[in-house]
Amino acid sequence: MKFIFLALGAVILSACSLWGIFEGKIAHNNWEIQKIVVDGKEYLSPQLLRAQALQNQTLQNQALQNQALQNNIEGETKAQISQNTHTTPQNPDTTQDTTKENSPNGEAHTGEVHTDGTLAQENGSVSQESPIAPSTMATPAQNTALPQSTQTPQTTQTQDSKEHLLDLKEIATMNFDPSEHRIYGVTGCNNYFASYAWKDSDHLEVGNTGMTRKLCEPDTLMSFEFRLMRNFNGIFSVKRNGTSMVLDNGKMQIYLQ
């Protein structure tokens, strides 16, 4: 009888050892969800949504600062040119030389300048008016000190959703409990849970999923949560890559880090 119990114990231990061989292993049990891809479309986790909003805000601030600096430089350039034009000294011999050269006899003529820019000349009984070419002002060349950019950072969020994204503090997580074969975590809004079982060393099956029911803002966060939980079932292949891992059931890929 004693030998029978020993034999049964050996069989049970052998079965557990064989099960351990086929059961998959992962680097650690606590992960952060970076993003999910459903039917080829990417949905970012709340922490990446906030990081993207911060980056867009930084780019927009830089664009505004560059534009303000560009405007200041152009304004200073125009003011300097205007000042130089008004302070240029007039040469009194210029008009005399010009009228002398334009005279048929090579003689200088005296006259007065009309308000319409013409010079009234008198030579005996003949009175002629010769137009004086208006002075031309060189237009300031376009400033190229700063790069000209016609593009502004593109964003699809409204101002209200931007503020919500910047205020996001939640982190989407996925935790594995190998002792009870449970998965649990936070989507960024609600808590969720599921059970899992290893099919082999590279595939696990997820089922019995559930979550709390709370509404959150912005809509992009709820869209991420809805698609994650809607497709979080079935058999997932496990692709390990150092400190990251991807769960793929064919329809949805979950990127963990």
Side-chain angles (χ1 to χ4, degrees), residues 23-172:
E23 188 173 69
K25 294 182 179 180
I26 54 180
H28 52 88
N29 296 325
N30 302 319
W31 301 82
E32 289 185 6
I33 304 175
Q34 299 299 304
K35 65 179 180 179
I36 62 174
V37 178
V38 181
D39 293 331
K41 187 173 181 179
E42 185 178 82
Y43 300 89
L44 299 182
S45 64
Q47 58 266 36
L48 288 192
L49 286 172
R50 182 175 185 274
Q52 186 183 66
L54 286 172
Q55 183 181 19
N56 289 340
Q57 185 182 55
T58 300
L59 292 175
Q60 289 175 352
N61 290 339
Q62 289 177 349
L64 291 175
Q65 291 174 0
N66 289 341
Q67 186 61 47
L69 182 59
Q70 178 78 19
N71 293 338
N72 289 338
I73 293 176
E74 291 179 353
E76 292 175 359
T77 302
K78 292 178 180 179
Q80 184 65 33
I81 292 175
S82 178
Q83 182 179 2
N84 292 340
T85 302
H86 286 86
T87 57
T88 301
Q90 298 293 331
N91 187 353
D93 297 332
T94 303
T95 304
Q96 184 72 16
D97 293 341
T98 303
T99 56
K100 183 176 181 179
E101 291 175 359
N102 293 333
S103 173
N105 299 326
E107 299 177 355
H109 297 274
T110 59
E112 58 180 5
V113 178
H114 291 176
T115 57
D116 60 355
T118 60
L119 176 64
Q121 298 177 339
E122 295 182 358
N123 185 10
S125 61
V126 180
S127 177
Q128 298 180 345
E129 292 186 354
S130 59
I132 298 178
S135 60
T136 58
M137 180 187 300
T139 57
Q142 185 177 10
N143 180 43
T144 57
L146 294 175
Q148 302 293 326
S149 176
T150 58
Q151 297 182 351
T152 55
Q154 299 295 321
T155 178
T156 57
Q157 294 89 19
T158 62
Q159 186 64 33
D160 181 62
S161 64
K162 286 181 186 177
E163 295 175 358
H164 283 101
L165 291 175
L166 292 172
D167 291 338
L168 284 175
K169 299 295 188 295
E170 294 80 3
I171 297 176

